[in-house]
Amino acid sequence: MQLSVIGTGYVGLVTGAVFADLGNEVICVDKDENKIALLRQGIMPIYEPGLEEMVRHNVSEGRLSFTTDTEEAVCRSEVVFIAVGTPSLPSGQPDLSQVEEACRHIARALNAPKVIVNKSTVPVGTGDIVRRWIEQYAPGEHPAFEVVSNPEFLREGSAIYDTLHPDRIVIGASNQNAAMKLLELYAPLERPMIITDVNSAEIIKYASNCFLAMKISYINAMARICDLSGADVTLVAKGMGYDKRIGDQFLQAGLGWGGSCFPKDVSAMIATAESLGYDFQLLKAVQQINDEQPLYFVGKMRTALGGLKDRHIAILGLSFKPNTDDLREAKSLQIIAALLAEGAVVCAYDPIAMPKARAIFPQISYCENAYDAATGCDAVAVVTEWNEFRQLNMERLRRVMRQPLLFDGRNIYDPEKVKQAGMQYYGIGRSANSSPFARPSSP
Ligand SMILES: NC(=O)c1ccc[n+]([C@@H]2O[C@H](COP(=O)([O-])OP(=O)(O)OC[C@H]3O[C@@H](n4cnc5c(N)ncnc54)[C@H](O)[C@@H]3O)[C@@H](O)[C@H]2O)c1
């Protein structure tokens, strides 16, 4: 099939690469000339495992190309994906101006019947708005087009895998032929597909992300209770997670959710609900718990160190989660800003995200590795759970530090082992005596 993807970011580039890999001819479009120039040289503008190989392979096979000329790309395609950004406005509503701009170009290039597929995360009702924009910007008579909602659920860091193995493919269409076109396109993946109306598909995306954010905030709130009561949230989560109705995913207490999706999608759902006349108090609480979590972590450091002024703190991990260099709404940003505001001296290490972080925090130092960052520090704080931090040599860490305090913002260590290495351990919701047999239990 001849496809184009407007917006060559995380979603657009991965979608384009995967569809090309499935044998389609794909043109990826972006208005960012620099990004397109890099891609044409085989240089990826983002880090995503397996992406570079897949892009290079499909470019060399002639199935994948890059352009800044949206209209040319749309003219040559029967299916056009919109995968542009939908960032938050100050009101919390998503800014749809990039979608509108894409529609303006699509409208001018309607040379044949086309299916316009919205992959960007957009509030319920946007399908109708997209249709109206295209009608409005099309110069006079034009061939028919259909608007389909096909929300994206990939996770950064495993975007290629997720796109090849999605849990489900949601197709929101008001026309059977358009739905069939998408079914045909996705058929090689052999994954469950659900066909809905456009509005329901748009809501499925927000309902899913908000639910996952709620699960994380729930366990983080539970972690506060564990800290206050002397329990271990990792055991609580394990005990909950075996219940099939609950499941064990997204029950890891930590510093909260960040990234380019959850924060804006939760805000958008709250704002959309409000505009529809519903006060979504549950989600407001989910958001508040999340906003407090990094500050709660900084508070633990402040208390343990007796203040933060002039304390040297090593931050391990900057990206909002492992395997990505994406810093959007990363917890590291909030934590570093809070530490600096209280006069702490910060050095940081991240396997991939340091170049991007330098542009935000030029005043902190960046190190070669975790031990280098910890050298001479009063505390080490693990903020992103990169695999390479999981097996740190605690004794080596202690030897290079000024004070042996470890703040485990992602609960990745066994507190007992850390203590055995002579370090003081501070996790999230893990103030329990870690061995259940450490105290004699009453019969
Ligand atoms: N990143 C994720 O993990 C993820 C997952 C699921 C859904 N989404 C949603 O997918 C959408 C895209 O997200 P992303 O992370 O890929 O965004 P991104 O910011 O990485 O990429 C968007 C790209 O669109 C380009 N662009 C904007 N307007 C354009 C136009 N008119 N013509 C051509 N190019 C244009 C930008 O230059 C940019 O390169 C958002 O709505 C997001 O919420 C993202």
Side-chain angles (χ1 to χ4, degrees):
M1 225 180 272
Q2 290 275 356
L3 315 175
S4 52
V5 184
I6 305 177
T8 308
Y10 282 89
V11 169
L13 180 55
V14 171
T15 301
V18 166
F19 278 134
D21 212 51
L22 294 174
N24 300 287
E25 282 183 34
V26 184
I27 309 171
C28 282
V29 187
D30 207 286
K31 63 178 180 182
D32 181 339
E33 287 175 10
N34 194 30
K35 195 176 262 191
I36 294 300
L38 285 175
L39 283 162
R40 283 181 168 160
Q41 294 166 53
I43 302 170
M44 298 304 108
I46 52 167
Y47 173 75
E48 199 56 56
L51 180 65
E52 184 168 336
E53 297 81 342
M54 189 179 268
V55 167
R56 281 174 186 248
H57 173 68
N58 284 285
V59 168
S60 72
E61 294 288 316
R63 289 192 295 262
L64 180 61
S65 60
F66 300 98
T67 182
T68 53
D69 188 341
T70 312
E71 286 161 40
E72 164 76 13
V74 172
C75 277
R76 289 171 46 194
S77 310
E78 49 184 312
V79 178
V80 179
F81 285 89
I82 300 175
V84 296
T86 48
S88 275
L89 289 167
S91 65
Q93 290 279 12
D95 176 359
L96 296 180
S97 59
Q98 295 180 29
V99 177
E100 182 174 7
E101 195 187 343
C103 289
R104 199 176 297 128
H105 288 290
I106 293 168
R108 290 196 208 118
L110 281 177
N111 59 338
K114 292 182 198 295
V115 179
I116 315 299
V117 187
N118 198 359
K119 233 181 200 321
S120 295
T121 302
V122 291
V124 59
T126 306
D128 288 336
I129 297 174
V130 163
R131 164 167 294 285
R132 282 204 298 276
W133 275 334
I134 297 177
E135 293 285 3
Q136 178 189 332
Y137 294 124
E141 284 291 302
H142 57 79
F145 67 92
E146 290 298 333
V147 177
V148 174
S149 167
N150 172 221
E152 180 54 60
F153 299 95
L154 65 76
R155 296 163 301 174
E156 286 179 24
S158 54
I160 295 278
Y161 178 88
D162 289 348
T163 307
L164 286 168
H165 308 91
D167 287 344
R168 76 305 207 182
I169 294 155
V170 176
I171 299 169
S174 53
N175 170 293
Q176 199 180 357
N177 288 340
M180 291 308 292
K181 191 67 90 195
L182 271 273
L183 283 177
E184 194 187 325
L185 199 53
Y186 279 111
L189 297 181
E190 298 183 18
R191 303 301 298 166
M193 299 201 213
I194 166 168
I195 298 185
T196 69
D197 57 281
V198 176
N199 283 358
S200 301
E202 289 169 343
I203 290 186
I204 287 170
K205 173 65 191 173
Y206 284 103
S208 304
N209 273 7
C210 292
F211 188 86
L212 295 173
M214 180 184 73
K215 251 184 125 175
I216 296 171
S217 283
Y218 182 85
I219 201 66
N220 281 338
M222 217 39 93
R224 301 283 289 267
I225 299 295
C226 289
D227 271 343
L228 290 168
S229 61
D232 184 334
V233 74
T234 62
L235 299 177
V236 172
K238 211 175 227 170
M240 290 169 66
Y242 281 123
D243 186 327
K244 289 191 193 68
R245 296 166 303 174
I246 297 173
D248 60 359
Q249 293 193 43
F250 284 71
L251 277 187
Q252 286 75 39
L255 299 173
W257 32 275
S260 67
C261 290
F262 282 11
K264 85 175 171 57
D265 293 351
V266 171
S267 295
M269 190 69 249
I270 292 170
T272 300
E274 212 148 280
S275 72
L276 293 168
Y278 178 66
D279 181 9
F280 213 146
Q281 291 187 39
L282 172 65
L283 279 187
K284 288 180 180 171
V286 164
Q287 200 173 44
Q288 190 190 333
I289 292 165
N290 197 58
D291 289 345
E292 287 169 2
Q293 200 66 1
L295 302 178
Y296 177 59
F297 187 59
V298 171
K300 277 178 182 265
M301 291 191 230
R302 187 189 303 113
T303 307
L305 290 164
L308 292 167
K309 185 150 174 47
D310 298 328
R311 302 291 184 205
H312 286 236
I313 297 177
I315 297 290
L316 301 189
L318 295 164
S319 54
F320 88 90
K321 67 173 183 180
N323 298 325
T324 176
D325 62 349
D326 197 342
L327 285 173
R328 289 179 282 183
E329 303 274 344
K331 294 297 153 189
S332 63
L333 306 184
Q334 218 177 328
I335 290 166
I336 293 172
L339 292 174
L340 293 177
E342 295 194 40
V345 178
V346 176
C347 47
Y349 168 70
D350 185 285
I352 289 183
M354 289 195 289
K356 284 190 178 172
R358 265 180 226 276
I360 303 170
F361 292 116
Q363 70 273 51
I364 70 170
S365 48
Y366 295 90
C367 303
E368 292 284 302
N369 56 50
Y371 304 103
D372 185 20
T375 301
C377 278
D378 299 297
V380 164
V382 175
V383 172
T384 312
E385 65 277 33
W386 284 92
N387 268 343
E388 67 175 71
F389 301 148
R390 288 181 186 272
Q391 297 291 353
L392 285 182
N393 180 331
M394 288 295 157
E395 275 162 20
R396 182 174 164 200
L397 205 63
R398 177 179 49 78
R399 281 200 300 274
V400 298
M401 292 177 70
R402 190 155 68 184
Q403 293 191 70
L405 273 66
L406 178 69
F407 292 87
D408 181 4
R410 300 293 176 177
N411 287 350
I412 57 174
Y413 301 110
D414 176 345
E416 216 40 52
K417 284 192 182 152
V418 175
K419 287 178 205 162
Q420 275 164 17
M423 304 272 289
Q424 290 173 38
Y425 178 85
Y426 302 87
I428 304 280
R430 302 184 85 184
S431 52
N433 190 335
S434 38
S435 165
F437 304 115
R439 284 185 297 244
S441 54
S442 42

